[in-house]
Amino acid sequence: MIGRLNHVAIAVRDIAKAAALYRDTLGAQVSAAVPQPEHGVTTVFIALPNTKIELLEPLGQDSPILKFLERNPDGGIHHICYEVEDIRAARDKLTAGGARVLGTGEPKIGAHGKPVLFLHPKDFNGTLVELEQA
Ligand code: CO
């Protein structure tokens, strides 16, 4: 069911500093920072030959990554995103098997303008999993 690894997301306190680390120290291709108020984060995408890294900085008081950064003050891997062909079919199959989808269970439009949903980390080896319709 799952296809390519679309991205690995890393939560950071200072996205300019983190972007500079990837650009200058690691020599990667780094996008501009984009505020995504509807998701409570600012994002930077780092293009790698085989996948992407998504840097996430909290935006606003209700940011969904604030608690994560309280627990992980140095930042850390926040989620991994796999592509699926049909996100509703994937959700229905997973929920039928007992997996929990976060939020309303309906896909939302994610940072790339494509439908996404998140699966409960307790059902996936302690890892928050994002599914994105390819
Ligand atoms: Co993501």
Side-chain angles (χ1 to χ4, degrees):
M1 175 168 53
I2 62 169
R4 285 164 31 94
L5 174 65
N6 185 278
H7 61 270
V8 175
I10 302 176
V12 301
R13 287 188 180 281
D14 183 339
I15 203 163
K17 206 170 154 188
L21 178 71
Y22 272 86
R23 186 184 55 237
D24 303 334
T25 305
L26 295 175
Q29 205 180 36
V30 172
S31 80
V34 179
Q36 315 246 9
E38 66 281 14
H39 296 292
V41 291
T42 297
T43 55
V44 161
F45 279 97
I46 297 158
L48 302 180
N50 59 343
T51 190
K52 291 180 288 245
I53 304 295
E54 176 184 70
L55 300 177
L56 301 172
E57 181 187 70
L59 179 64
Q61 297 307 305
D62 301 322
S63 173
I65 64 170
L66 280 172
K67 270 195 194 132
F68 180 89
L69 281 169
E70 271 168 35
R71 290 194 304 270
N72 302 275
D74 298 326
I77 294 178
H78 182 263
H79 66 265
I80 55 177
C81 177
Y82 300 121
E83 295 177 2
V84 293
E85 273 179 31
D86 181 336
I87 198 159
R88 286 191 169 79
R91 175 202 57 196
D92 292 347
K93 186 167 187 222
L94 289 164
T95 53
R100 289 164 287 180
V101 174
L102 300 189
T104 63
E106 281 307 306
K108 282 189 185 176
I109 297 302
H112 311 110
K114 292 182 174 172
V116 302
L117 50 78
F118 286 91
L119 304 171
H120 200 296
K122 287 213 162 89
D123 298 331
F124 292 92
N125 309 107
T127 304
L128 178 60
V129 173
E130 179 180 20
L131 298 180
E132 179 174 300
Q133 187 155 295

